[in-house]
Amino acid sequence: MPRTEKLERVAELKRRIEGSAALLFAEYRGLTVSDITELRRALREADASLAVVKNTLMQRAAAEAGLELTELLSGPSAVAFVDGDAVGAAKKIKTATRQFPTLVLKGGYMEGQVLSADEANRLADLESREVMLSTIAGLLKGEIARAAATFVSAQSRFLSLLEAYKATVPAEPEAPEPEAPGDQAPEADAAAVGSSDEDGKE
């Protein structure tokens, strides 16, 4: 490979390293072009892209990106550049190893940590991000439902206690209704008439 082409390839690999959420490394010894194409297709479903790389160029690109990945770059190497959920991509590779026994998940890199082969395989055994979010949402929904039920129950008990308290308080006596002013008018008129008659007799 001409020097200029190598430099361009290193720059491209560095760009992809820096733009990825995670990297997964596999040894593809014994796989055919058709097998690798099938693996690429599966990884695209997990927001990851597979590239067959030369170890020396990948090492140089990783070094320029500030990473030390030499231990993961031995034998024929393919790198999955993960843009989405690393768990989902690891699951795709691990599933492919059952279909292609010579395919080996060698390790990975994510969140500033180099993953060994065992760690990368354990990553593949985790629940995917979507499943975990769904589980968390279900738990939160259950907690909200329980909290609402507790609130309604407490409110119901409070209303029952309030009604019981009201039943123990004696009712206040009703105040007498005041007499209307019009009811006393005839007596006043009669008194006035009597006084007038006495004045006439004198």
Side-chain angles (χ1 to χ4, degrees):
M1 182 183 294
R3 177 176 173 77
T4 302
E5 188 176 345
K6 286 182 179 180
L7 293 175
E8 290 176 352
R9 181 60 174 160
V10 168
E12 171 64 14
L13 289 172
K14 179 187 175 186
R15 183 188 65 79
R16 296 184 70 179
I17 290 170
E18 293 175 338
S20 298
L23 306 172
L24 295 170
F25 295 81
E27 183 174 314
Y28 65 94
R29 193 188 307 274
L31 268 65
T32 65
V33 173
S34 177
D35 296 337
I36 293 175
T37 299
E38 186 173 344
L39 179 56
R40 281 195 174 110
R41 188 180 302 114
L43 283 168
R44 277 198 295 270
E45 296 174 358
D47 291 328
S49 57
L50 185 73
V52 173
V53 298
K54 289 182 67 69
N55 290 336
T56 53
L57 298 183
M58 187 65 187
Q59 287 174 7
R60 184 180 300 177
E64 290 187 7
L67 309 181
E68 176 51 61
L69 303 176
T70 304
E71 62 186 280
L72 300 176
L73 293 166
S74 60
S77 297
V79 182
F81 296 92
V82 183
D83 296 324
D85 181 19
V87 173
K91 284 182 180 295
K92 293 293 186 182
I93 295 177
K94 190 167 183 177
T95 298
T97 61
R98 292 193 285 270
Q99 182 179 357
F100 309 118
T102 58
L103 179 67
V104 178
L105 181 56
K106 298 192 293 185
Y109 177 87
M110 64 179 294
E111 297 181 358
Q113 300 292 325
V114 175
L115 306 179
S116 66
D118 287 342
E119 289 169 335
N121 278 281
R122 285 201 297 271
L123 181 68
D125 293 333
L126 296 176
E127 295 289 358
S128 67
R129 183 173 181 272
E130 288 75 13
V131 172
M132 286 192 289
L133 288 176
S134 177
T135 301
I136 291 170
L139 291 173
L140 289 176
K141 185 177 180 180
E143 289 298 327
I144 291 171
R146 282 192 289 273
T150 300
F151 174 76
V152 171
S153 177
Q155 186 182 48
S156 177
R157 286 198 300 272
F158 172 75
L159 293 175
S160 297
L161 290 172
L162 183 60
E163 290 298 325
Y165 172 74
K166 286 181 179 179
T168 63
V169 177
E172 294 184 1
E174 295 184 1
E177 295 183 1
E179 295 182 359
D183 294 342
Q184 298 178 356
E187 296 179 2
D189 292 344
V193 171
S195 175
S196 176
D197 291 344
E198 290 178 359
D199 292 341
K201 289 178 182 180
E202 292 178 357

